[in-house]
Amino acid sequence: MIHAVATRPFADQKPGTSGLRKKVKIFQQPHYAENFIQSVFDVVPEKEGATLVIGGDGRFLNREVIGKAIRMAAAAGFGRVIVGQGGILSTPAASNLIRERGAIGGLVLSASHNPGGPDEDFGIKYNVGNGGPAPEKVTAAIYARTTEIDHFAIFEAPDVDIDTLGETQLADTIVEVVDPVASYAALMERLFDFGAIRSSGLSVAFDAMSAVTGPYATEILERRLGFAPGRVRNGTPLEDFGGHHPDPNLVHARALYDLMMSPGAPDFGAASDGDGDRNLIIGRGIFITPSDSLAMLAANAHLAPGYAEGLKGIARSMPTSAAADRVAAALGIPCYETPTGWKFFGNLLDAGRVTICGEESAGTGSDHVREKDGLWAVLLWLNILAATGKSVKQIATEHWARFGRNYYARHDYEGVESNAADALMGGLRDRLAQLPGQAFGTLTVEAADDFAYEDPTDGSISSQQGVRVLFQGGSRVVFRLSGTGTSGATLRVYLERYEPAGGRLDADTTEMLAEIAAAADQIAQIRKLTGRTAPDVVT
Ligand code: VG1
Ligand code: CO
């Protein structure tokens, strides 16, 4: 029986960089999740009989919201709902299923790298038929719908059993529970030379951070690639990620970092985030920044079977370092600079303009899906190591010797008072025109702007995507506010210094960036306006 339930709009359902992310307590308000899901369904055209994919990263509230979403999808008239067993689907696996099964879209339930549990974060993201995050015109329509919603429809029945593989009928909808790993693992086997990795003799340590990649990594790394049992750490997804932030960076994956810097380190260390789309890459004795990883993967991708024909182009988000640009130039292929967030890569991938994309925030991926993909990056690295017989350190040092090195760091100021953050960004924008020519220590500003992007495939324009200050010589600082935080504002300051081949390629990053960091504070008045003397997280 389909039930129409009267409801009233919530004022705070505007999707951010990747969907609607809020505290669990906010999602637990009666009708909160239902209103958002109904608003999504209301803007999906031709859903009658269409297929919808649903899955999440297993965090607290995942099962409950999936139960509701299935019954609402049945009420909305979808023909088939494909759900990962246990409610589990990593973000890239969901993207793959949408594409493989010809779904009209999918609901991905996750707050990614944010912590989980009753007092932590939850999120809902809608992906469209290409498997990627909904573009801005769709998220804007969803948001508009949330402001005027007056009822939602739900099929009244007990929740479907999502733990048993197979099909059940709910009204006119078939609910199909699938193995969350199988088709994703098969895709990886098509892209990479599993035989070469298996026989390479490489040793690995993978930290799944008690999040969604556990079952994927166990199946792929331990069962299919034959790495010894236990090489996947924290491999069981937990509702609260064991109380940790499932954020694969040097702060939250400290244990892995320490292992990789220790004398007995394996050849290769990696970690992924809550929903499996990010990656951390650490070689024995060397951390690879995500921006460098993108550049090094692009330079060597042809060594993997899936990319043997070469790359069509590279795309990176604006705050990501320009290391990839140099690779693109050497390969004679285009390099696109997009706003932050994976949704901007989708059109370029669909149009066949680029093959590989990446973000400084530990996201790398390719045209195999329409999301960033943590395990994909791990496997491409392993394929490159197996094919070349080189260590991570060797790949990196040879890369820098050829292209030069982009020293890079991101400073995050979290939980900043929203008004202070807005004042800081507003002040910066007001002063932009005066910056060129100004000197900060030995640095002189060459140009400054507020990044705007015109999508080359559909002409749509996204403005105010972050303030860039470019210094003479190719160093840079970028300022922007996070679109994924759930309390207050997060100011991100991205620091980059280019050192050409033949220059100081083996120096300490903090030291190399010290002058730019000082200039950033002077330019944006961070201490004065936020009261902070140091960033909360440096990655
Ligand atoms: C952050 C990252 C961005 C990434 C986004 C979603 O956004 O900076 O690069 O695409 O998270 O990643 P923001 O607006 O907070 O800077 V995930 O792994 O949270 O889906
Ligand atoms: Co993520």
Side-chain angles (χ1 to χ4, degrees):
M1 169 81 80
I2 293 172
H3 226 79
V5 182
T7 190
R8 274 191 313 208
F10 291 89
D12 62 345
Q13 296 200 317
K14 186 174 183 150
T17 315
S18 13
L20 184 68
R21 281 192 194 159
K22 298 284 174 192
K23 291 284 169 207
V24 163
K25 291 274 186 300
I26 291 185
F27 266 104
Q28 283 173 325
Q29 298 171 85
H31 299 181
Y32 193 88
E34 291 90 332
N35 274 18
F36 189 74
I37 293 168
Q38 186 65 54
S39 299
V40 170
F41 290 169
D42 286 348
V43 308
V44 177
E46 295 167 29
K47 55 186 168 285
E48 289 290 318
T51 298
L52 180 76
V53 169
I54 303 181
D57 64 8
R59 69 179 61 224
F60 186 81
L61 221 59
N62 195 50
R63 283 178 167 268
E64 198 178 316
V65 174
I66 285 181
K68 287 177 185 166
I70 293 172
R71 292 189 290 121
M72 288 181 67
F78 286 96
R80 179 175 290 266
V81 175
I82 299 174
V83 191
Q85 189 177 24
I88 291 290
L89 278 179
S90 76
T91 290
S95 182
N96 176 49
L97 270 183
I98 293 170
R99 296 165 65 77
E100 265 193 20
R101 301 292 304 270
I104 196 166
L107 291 173
V108 183
L109 311 186
S110 171
S112 189
H113 54 294
N114 294 3
D119 296 315
E120 300 296 352
D121 294 353
F122 190 74
I124 305 180
K125 179 166 73 162
Y126 180 63
N127 282 25
V128 292
N130 74 350
E136 281 192 336
K137 59 177 187 303
V138 177
T139 54
I142 293 170
Y143 175 52
R145 195 66 204 125
T146 67
T147 63
E148 58 197 27
I149 190 164
D150 59 9
H151 76 279
F152 62 84
I154 189 160
F155 189 78
E156 286 301 340
D159 277 336
V160 171
D161 169 13
I162 54 171
D163 293 311
T164 312
L165 297 177
E167 296 186 350
T168 354
Q169 182 102 21
L170 207 60
D172 293 331
T173 308
I174 292 167
V175 181
E176 178 186 350
V177 178
V178 300
D179 177 337
V181 178
S183 74
Y184 176 84
L187 172 64
M188 294 300 117
E189 286 218 47
R190 293 197 294 275
L191 294 176
F192 302 114
D193 187 346
F194 274 38
I197 299 173
R198 207 180 295 114
S199 56
S200 65
L202 287 162
S203 53
V204 303
F206 180 85
D207 192 340
M209 304 191 86
S210 306
V212 81
T213 43
Y216 295 86
T218 304
E219 171 65 25
I220 294 171
L221 297 176
E222 295 186 0
R223 297 205 191 100
R224 301 198 186 194
L225 289 171
F227 292 111
R231 287 306 189 173
V232 174
R233 298 142 183 259
N234 302 314
T236 305
L238 301 175
E239 285 201 330
D240 67 348
F241 308 119
H244 299 292
H245 287 234
D247 191 349
N249 62 30
L250 298 184
V251 177
H252 297 297
R254 187 75 205 185
L256 180 74
Y257 178 78
D258 289 342
L259 170 74
M260 295 308 296
M261 297 302 138
S262 73
D267 298 303
F268 184 80
S272 192
D273 71 333
D275 61 329
D277 56 1
R278 297 188 180 203
N279 68 87
L280 169 72
I281 303 295
I282 314 179
R284 182 188 296 125
I286 185 171
F287 160 64
I288 303 294
T289 68
S291 294
D292 269 350
S293 179
L294 170 66
M296 292 168 193
L297 291 179
N300 294 289
H302 61 276
L303 297 170
Y307 306 92
E309 284 167 19
L311 309 180
K312 294 176 184 142
I314 305 174
R316 64 163 172 88
S317 68
M318 180 274 283
T320 304
S321 93
D325 303 34
R326 299 178 199 285
V327 175
L331 293 173
I333 56 174
C335 187
Y336 296 86
E337 185 177 27
T338 63
T340 295
W342 210 261
K343 58 185 158 196
F344 294 97
F345 295 137
N347 284 355
L348 297 172
L349 291 163
D350 285 348
R353 290 179 184 239
V354 299
T355 308
I356 279 191
C357 311
E359 296 193 281
E360 52 64 43
S361 53
T364 348
S366 87
D367 57 1
H368 68 292
V369 288
R370 293 294 180 273
E371 287 277 6
K372 52 191 186 275
D373 187 343
L375 272 170
W376 170 89
V378 170
L379 294 169
L380 181 49
W381 263 104
L382 288 173
N383 197 143
I384 292 167
L385 297 179
T388 58
K390 292 178 183 170
S391 67
V392 174
K393 195 172 237 164
Q394 226 178 328
I395 299 271
T397 45
E398 289 176 13
H399 187 95
W400 295 329
R402 178 171 172 211
F403 295 101
R405 178 170 178 186
N406 294 71
Y407 287 93
Y408 192 87
R410 188 179 90 192
H411 290 187
D412 290 335
Y413 298 81
E414 294 174 346
V416 174
E417 214 243 309
S418 294
N419 291 335
D422 291 341
L424 185 147
M425 291 304 294
L428 262 174
R429 291 187 164 111
D430 291 343
R431 292 194 303 277
L432 274 179
Q434 296 141 34
L435 284 173
Q438 281 191 37
F440 299 88
T442 66
L443 297 163
T444 304
V445 177
E446 184 172 295
D449 70 354
D450 190 353
F451 181 60
Y453 176 69
E454 182 180 344
D455 189 305
T457 65
D458 65 11
S460 59
I461 291 180
S462 307
S463 50
Q464 298 218 320
Q465 298 295 322
V467 167
R468 316 188 269 193
V469 180
L470 184 71
F471 301 104
Q472 287 169 9
S475 294
R476 187 178 77 147
V477 56
V478 172
F479 304 88
R480 62 176 282 279
L481 298 182
S482 157
T484 59
T486 54
S487 46
T490 295
L491 170 69
R492 302 202 196 284
V493 182
Y494 309 81
L495 310 167
E496 177 179 356
R497 168 169 169 180
Y498 179 62
E499 194 66 19
R504 297 180 61 196
L505 300 178
D506 201 17
D508 177 65
T509 298
T510 311
E511 188 192 317
M512 293 297 273
L513 296 175
E515 192 175 32
I516 299 173
D521 185 56
Q522 275 186 51
I523 292 170
Q525 299 289 304
I526 301 169
R527 285 168 195 242
K528 191 170 146 214
L529 293 173
T530 68
R532 303 294 176 85
T533 52
D536 299 281
V537 180
V538 176
T539 48

